[in-house]
Amino acid sequence: MTTTVQTFQNFIGGKWQAAREGRTFANYNPATGEVLGYFPLSSTADVDAAVASARQAFESWRLVPAPKRGQILFRVGELLSRHKEELARIMTREMGKVLKETRGDVQEGIDMAYYMAGEGRRLFGYTVPVELPNKSGMALRDPVGVVACITPWNFPIAIPTWKMFPALVAGNTIVLKPASDTPQSALRLVEILQEAGLPEGVVNLVCGSGQEVGEALIHHPAVAVISFTGSTESGRHVAVEAAQSLKRVSLEMGGKNAVIVLDDADLELAVEGILWSAYGTTGQRCTACSRLIVQRGVHDHLLEKLLPRIEQLRLGDGLDEQVDVGPVINASQLEKIHAYVEIGQGEGATLVTGGACAEGEGLTSGNFYRPTLFKDVRPEMRIAQEEIFGPVLSVIAVDTFDEAIKVNNQTPFGLSSAIYTQNINNAQRAMRDLTTGILYINSGTTGAEIQLPFGGTRGTGNGHREAGIAGLDVFTEWKVVYTDYSGKLQKAQIDS
């Protein structure tokens, strides 16, 4: 029996339409190699149309009362809840992570919808006393304009919602460019936004390559904000190019996150956190643990507990509820991961387990890599400094807590870190001295909640944060309003 593969379209100005030049690209299931659909391979002309649509819609959308904008987001949350399982299965087929994780991905979108819906009745500014009598002063949030959201494939529902929902509730309009590996998840999300009642042109979807669609958005004169999540190399390029037109840019980029295990740690608890942090989403998370910094007093005992658990992880199609670890996103990433394994061996690290593509029943047609563990890793090795974005964990032994802090902080990245200790003094010192944007105490390096800011330091970002109240900042301008009701000219400092 022949199965017809569906061809999908962009969403511009409230209408579904093919790419202007008629080109498409195939989207593949990384677990099976199956073609999931054909999507528009868009050009600058498609970007121009989407931005024009968003710019026109902005003039009316910004005037919709914020509580009304919030009500639409509340309906989005209800629809995401209703379609949670459908969305999770689309996501697993597109990018491979197991269903329990894709359900969590959708849940983050649901949580963000409800949280930002509530901001429609807050969007807090502030009032302060002013220097002169019969005069008031207040600061208000204004929307910025057209926002380009350039999103990655590893969290194809959650991350677009982190960007779009605060932008929308603040009164901005959107052009969304999803990763080419996960366009269907983004398309289904946009369908739900449309069903919830967003006016035409408020959200537009343009599929295609970063080289063409992404570049066109970065350089478009009517785009006011670029919100980007991806590699540090790509983020640096976005920042440099967008600076030429003084665009506001929010970057969430790479990580080289560490779990620190001290001699007094609960090792059973630490093993659970390490497994989840290092091998969940096949290590394809910006918050994944790729370094394990262990005090020598528990080093061998910890590895004795950790190694069999790693080797028991079951690989396979994420749609199978019994599977622990799904495929790597594509063949190119599979090659990159293996290249880093070879680099690690060449640098003198000891390969304990894994280190090869996985084969066998149900794995042959997909992009599977065995969960990998190195020991005898030195902090300066490339596998301890560079983001691999795969199921590769490097163990670094240290003598003291001070050395652990130093090793943790000596990377180009600063997203997430974790420490396992039962000593309150060590926990307090970790809070003070670990220079990452996120710190977990007696938990793994992943698991953000939407009511708190998300982001990192150094090469992980450029100072902005997503989620929480801080998530509104990049999408709003501060406007200060003074009202003088004295009936005469007052000259502020001159009159005071």
Side-chain angles (χ1 to χ4, degrees):
M1 183 178 71
T2 301
T3 302
T4 302
V5 178
Q6 187 174 354
T7 298
F8 298 89
Q9 297 180 317
N10 290 326
F11 187 67
I12 298 174
K15 297 180 177 59
W16 295 99
Q17 50 193 269
R20 298 294 197 266
E21 296 180 4
R23 297 179 297 165
T24 62
F25 66 92
N27 183 29
Y28 298 93
N29 183 330
T32 65
E34 171 196 4
V35 177
L36 300 174
Y38 294 97
F39 291 81
L41 187 59
S42 304
S43 66
T44 301
D46 300 290
V47 172
D48 288 344
V51 174
S53 172
R55 188 70 189 87
Q56 182 178 357
F58 174 68
E59 295 305 323
S60 55
W61 179 245
R62 69 183 182 87
L63 299 178
V64 173
K68 298 294 184 184
R69 298 194 295 254
Q71 286 175 11
I72 293 175
L73 287 182
F74 188 87
R75 289 198 293 273
V76 171
E78 291 181 311
L79 289 168
L80 288 172
S81 298
R82 189 181 308 165
H83 295 284
K84 181 175 179 178
E85 187 66 17
E86 173 205 348
L87 288 162
R89 289 181 175 275
I90 289 172
M91 199 187 313
T92 293
R93 285 193 292 268
E94 275 202 305
M95 62 79 57
K97 63 186 175 185
V98 298
L99 277 172
K100 64 182 178 183
E101 293 190 54
T102 55
R103 290 172 184 138
D105 193 311
V106 181
Q107 187 61 49
E108 285 195 38
I110 295 166
D111 295 343
M112 185 62 79
Y114 290 142
Y115 182 85
M116 285 300 164
E119 284 303 309
R121 292 189 177 272
R122 289 185 292 265
L123 281 180
F124 290 134
Y126 55 93
T127 61
V128 294
V130 297
E131 299 169 348
L132 298 173
N134 300 313
K135 182 179 178 181
S136 66
M138 60 181 174
L140 310 172
R141 289 186 184 270
D142 263 1
V144 181
V146 177
V147 176
C149 298
I150 302 174
T151 59
W153 47 262
N154 58 336
F155 285 84
I157 294 292
I159 291 178
T161 67
W162 293 0
K163 298 177 184 301
M164 290 198 297
F165 293 178
L168 288 171
V169 80
N172 301 282
T173 54
I174 306 290
V175 178
L176 171 63
K177 183 245 173 285
S180 296
D181 287 299
T182 52
Q184 191 175 358
S185 296
L187 185 145
R188 190 69 188 92
L189 175 59
V190 169
E191 286 180 335
I192 286 171
L193 289 165
Q194 180 189 26
E195 184 179 350
L198 272 183
E200 291 182 359
V202 172
V203 170
N204 304 270
L205 171 73
V206 182
C207 300
S209 70
Q211 292 85 350
E212 196 156 4
V213 174
E215 287 296 312
L217 286 168
I218 293 166
H219 292 101
H220 200 291
V223 171
V225 181
I226 304 287
S227 183
F228 170 86
T229 299
S231 71
T232 298
E233 180 183 9
S234 297
R236 185 178 294 113
H237 172 76
V238 171
V240 169
E241 293 300 311
Q244 298 179 48
S245 55
L246 298 178
K247 284 180 171 55
R248 188 176 296 193
V249 177
S250 172
L251 303 175
E252 202 288 296
M253 302 179 289
K256 195 65 184 174
N257 314 292
V259 169
I260 297 171
V261 181
L262 300 184
D263 285 346
D264 67 339
D266 179 335
L267 296 189
E268 298 291 345
L269 182 62
V271 165
E272 296 299 327
I274 293 161
L275 280 170
W276 168 239
S277 299
Y279 303 113
T281 319
T282 324
Q284 300 173 121
R285 288 187 290 225
C286 55
T287 55
C289 168
S290 58
R291 296 182 298 152
L292 178 55
I293 302 170
V294 188
Q295 215 168 351
R296 293 187 193 278
V298 292
H299 177 277
D300 292 349
H301 192 27
L302 178 64
L303 293 194
E304 287 174 5
K305 291 179 175 292
L306 181 61
L307 180 58
R309 294 292 303 279
I310 294 172
E311 294 181 336
Q312 290 165 12
L313 293 171
R314 181 180 173 188
L315 275 65
D317 189 332
L319 292 173
D320 182 346
E321 300 276 8
Q322 303 305 310
V323 162
D324 300 305
V325 179
V328 171
I329 186 64
N330 54 42
S332 174
Q333 185 63 20
L334 199 65
E335 292 171 5
K336 177 186 174 184
I337 292 166
H338 190 64
Y340 268 108
V341 169
E342 292 178 332
I343 288 167
Q345 291 175 299
E347 290 179 313
T350 301
L351 180 63
V352 179
T353 189
C357 294
E359 299 176 348
E361 185 178 355
L363 304 178
T364 306
S365 300
N367 305 313
F368 293 94
Y369 203 84
R370 290 175 59 196
T372 298
L373 180 71
F374 278 105
K375 68 176 183 178
D376 302 321
V377 177
R378 299 186 305 277
E380 70 275 9
M381 288 181 176
R382 288 182 63 187
I383 59 170
Q385 289 290 319
E386 300 175 13
E387 186 175 44
I388 299 171
F389 224 63
V392 179
L393 178 62
S394 297
V395 183
I396 303 169
V398 296
D399 292 314
T400 65
F401 181 37
D402 286 337
E403 186 182 0
I405 294 286
K406 181 179 178 181
V407 170
N408 182 89
N409 293 345
Q410 286 182 335
T411 76
F413 306 101
L415 180 52
S416 181
S417 56
I419 183 168
Y420 282 86
T421 179
Q422 298 183 75
N423 184 315
I424 185 63
N425 295 332
N426 288 337
Q428 288 293 133
R429 285 189 57 202
M431 284 188 265
R432 183 191 67 189
D433 294 339
L434 292 175
T435 57
T436 53
I438 304 167
L439 169 63
Y440 295 88
I441 298 172
N442 291 325
S443 184
T445 58
T446 191
E449 296 189 23
I450 57 85
Q451 65 271 27
L452 291 166
F454 180 92
T457 61
R458 299 191 291 279
T460 289
N462 64 337
H464 291 290
R465 293 292 185 268
E466 295 184 318
I469 296 174
L472 292 163
D473 291 344
V474 74
F475 304 118
T476 54
E477 298 274 16
W478 283 110
K479 177 187 288 182
V480 175
V481 180
Y482 296 102
T483 302
D484 191 318
Y485 49 96
S486 68
K488 62 181 180 179
L489 176 62
Q490 301 190 90
K491 298 177 181 177
Q493 290 84 355
I494 294 175
D495 288 348
S496 63

